[in-house]
Amino acid sequence: MDFELNEDQRLFRRTLRELVDKEIVPVASEWERTGRYPEEIVRRFAQMGLFGMTIPEEYGGLDLDRVSFALVFEEIARGWMGVAGILGSHSLSTWMIAEYGTDEQRRHYLPGLAGGARRTGIALTEPGAGTDLQGIATRAVRDGDHYVVTGTKTWITNARHADPLPVLVKTSIETPAHRGMSVLLVDAASEGLTISRDLPKLGYKGTETCEVVLDGVRVPVSRLLGGAEGRGMQQVLSALELGRLNIAARAVGVAQCAYEAALGYARERHAFGQPIADFQAIQLKLADMATEIQAARLMTYWAAVRSEAGPVRSEAAMAKYFASEVALRATMEAMRIHGGYGYSQEFVVERLYRDAPLMAIGEGTNDVQRLIIARALIEGDATLGW
């Protein structure tokens, strides 16, 4: 049992931290306020090969180990959680194509996706179907060598830059519903594909989140992920395990930033003739924050290591649930330590406080994660301890 990063992981983390501290932290708050898209940061991600995190080396990817994968999201979210989302949806989608795609689909898409020449996301949620993915209404009807796709997707990250955009559809009406669900790889130039609007958000800015309309979009049958109908739900649920690892790591990064901001402020802010860090009330808050953040980090890395060997249904759910709740508490405590200044946009904790709730919602709400954990325990698929 080794609780240390190996040498390659330490060097990788150092490189990530230099990127974040020099090129993301100085611009994050201003660019978020002005709504400026982070093109320069995206280019740096591409130069570092980060768009190829989950792509095999034979297609030009990095094929990172899962702890290094988590480190990417932890470090970038520490600087600006919103831009971590640009890599989050992309990496989930590229893993799904690499894992389930046909040989032709891998050859066609993965090299461009690995280098950032192409980017992608994933279209699951609909106005009437979020947690209940089996309730989606988007239909794909076979017409010769094409599917004709009609429906609306919402809360789609990277929608304006996704090429292709994997879309969860119903290729048939069956009972149970999951047997009729498939994923289609929809090219950005497809006629009838429209990004209808950008959704206004509390936080998670820096990347677009959109509503996508598919109005009779014709998708070649060759773009059915894996080449067989009825496997979409399995493909998506497997990918969401990876997504929950990246959400957990992002939550750790946000919480870490909140802790660092609170600690620095407590050392500098004076009241009644002394730094507020000398007051036990502040010390107890800092101790709780540090302990919970370290626990969340270790749980995230543990789930990441476990995922190397296969499915991590309960482990990923535990990591995402716990780490996101820690992020919510840490950002609230950081704001309390800052007092009135914590409510000001001139201090980073205000942005962190707005970003944290997304981690408790994204990739399945935390109530859903608790149910996943409970069912895995009851069914004997998960146990406590080693």
Side-chain angles (χ1 to χ4, degrees):
M1 189 179 299
D2 189 353
F3 290 97
E4 298 295 329
L5 300 178
N6 63 38
E7 184 61 25
D8 288 341
Q9 291 164 342
R10 285 197 296 272
L11 290 173
F12 186 57
R13 182 179 62 182
R14 186 182 308 161
T15 301
L16 291 168
R17 285 187 176 177
E18 289 175 357
L19 167 71
V20 170
D21 291 341
K22 292 180 180 179
E23 301 184 44
I24 297 180
V25 170
V27 301
S29 293
E30 179 187 351
W31 288 7
E32 193 217 42
R33 280 196 299 271
T34 60
R36 187 183 188 283
Y37 192 79
E39 292 285 359
E40 296 88 341
I41 295 172
V42 170
R43 284 198 293 271
R44 288 292 288 124
F45 288 166
Q47 291 168 3
M48 293 177 66
L50 296 181
F51 286 108
M53 284 188 289
T54 61
I55 296 176
E57 293 180 1
E58 64 183 291
Y59 298 105
L62 294 180
D63 196 18
L64 290 182
D65 67 86
R66 290 295 170 79
V67 171
S68 296
F69 172 84
L71 286 171
V72 170
F73 291 101
E74 178 184 344
E75 292 299 324
I76 293 175
R78 182 179 60 83
W80 187 2
M81 199 280 288
V83 296
I86 294 171
L87 292 172
S89 294
H90 177 95
S91 62
L92 186 156
S93 177
T94 55
W95 178 86
M96 198 165 59
I97 295 171
E99 182 73 11
Y100 296 113
T102 64
D103 289 341
E104 189 276 332
Q105 289 166 356
R106 295 187 188 106
R107 289 193 301 268
H108 182 74
Y109 289 118
L110 291 181
L113 291 168
R118 285 179 180 264
R119 283 152 58 191
T120 186
I122 187 165
L124 305 179
T125 302
E126 299 185 3
T131 297
D132 179 18
L133 286 178
Q134 294 188 67
I136 65 169
T138 300
R139 287 295 315 277
V141 178
R142 182 77 178 259
D143 180 22
D145 59 357
H146 285 75
Y147 290 99
V148 180
V149 184
T150 303
T152 300
K153 298 290 183 178
T154 193
W155 296 110
I156 310 305
T157 297
N158 286 343
R160 294 190 179 279
H161 296 85
D163 187 19
L165 178 64
V167 179
L168 184 65
V169 301
K170 286 187 175 177
T171 43
S172 66
I173 303 299
E174 293 198 16
T175 303
H178 67 83
R179 292 182 179 172
M181 300 174 73
S182 306
V183 172
L184 295 178
L185 305 175
V186 181
D187 290 340
S190 300
E191 185 176 352
L193 176 67
T194 305
I195 311 302
S196 59
R197 65 188 180 112
D198 287 58
L199 299 170
K201 299 171 290 185
L202 172 70
Y204 189 46
K205 301 180 180 180
T207 184
E208 77 276 22
T209 306
C210 303
E211 184 175 81
V212 179
V213 177
L214 301 104
D215 184 10
V217 176
R218 295 184 67 83
V219 181
V221 171
S222 62
R223 295 300 176 250
L224 172 65
L225 184 64
E229 292 185 2
R231 298 179 181 175
M233 193 65 166
Q234 172 199 353
Q235 293 164 348
V236 164
L237 291 180
S238 296
L240 285 175
E241 290 184 4
L242 186 67
R244 286 165 187 152
L245 292 178
N246 104 54
I247 292 290
R250 279 195 248 175
V252 172
V254 168
Q256 179 72 31
C257 185
Y259 164 76
E260 291 173 358
L263 178 62
Y265 184 82
R267 287 168 169 166
E268 296 171 2
R269 175 70 171 176
H270 283 66
F272 305 102
Q274 58 184 316
I276 64 172
D278 289 348
F279 297 121
Q280 285 189 348
I282 299 298
Q283 293 173 359
L284 294 176
K285 290 181 185 295
L286 292 170
D288 287 346
M289 291 169 67
T291 301
E292 288 196 338
I293 292 166
Q294 189 63 2
R297 177 177 288 112
L298 291 173
M299 180 170 282
T300 299
Y301 293 0
W302 163 75
V305 170
R306 285 286 185 94
S307 74
E308 297 275 7
V312 283
R313 174 181 157 200
S314 61
E315 294 94 330
M318 286 180 178
K320 187 268 186 189
Y321 163 51
F322 184 74
S324 61
E325 293 292 332
V326 167
L328 287 169
R329 288 192 291 270
T331 54
M332 181 74 258
E333 290 305 296
M335 184 172 283
R336 285 174 167 160
I337 289 171
H338 278 72
Y341 287 114
Y343 209 62
S344 168
Q345 289 187 343
E346 294 179 348
F347 287 75
V348 71
V349 294
E350 179 269 345
R351 169 161 55 85
L352 301 174
Y353 181 73
R354 288 185 289 105
D355 280 344
L358 179 71
M359 271 78 74
I361 299 169
E363 314 302 64
T365 67
N366 280 356
D367 283 343
V368 169
Q369 305 313 307
R370 293 161 69 193
L371 291 174
I372 290 171
I373 296 162
R375 288 169 184 166
L377 293 169
I378 292 167
E379 294 168 5
D381 292 336
T383 57
L384 295 183
W386 297 99

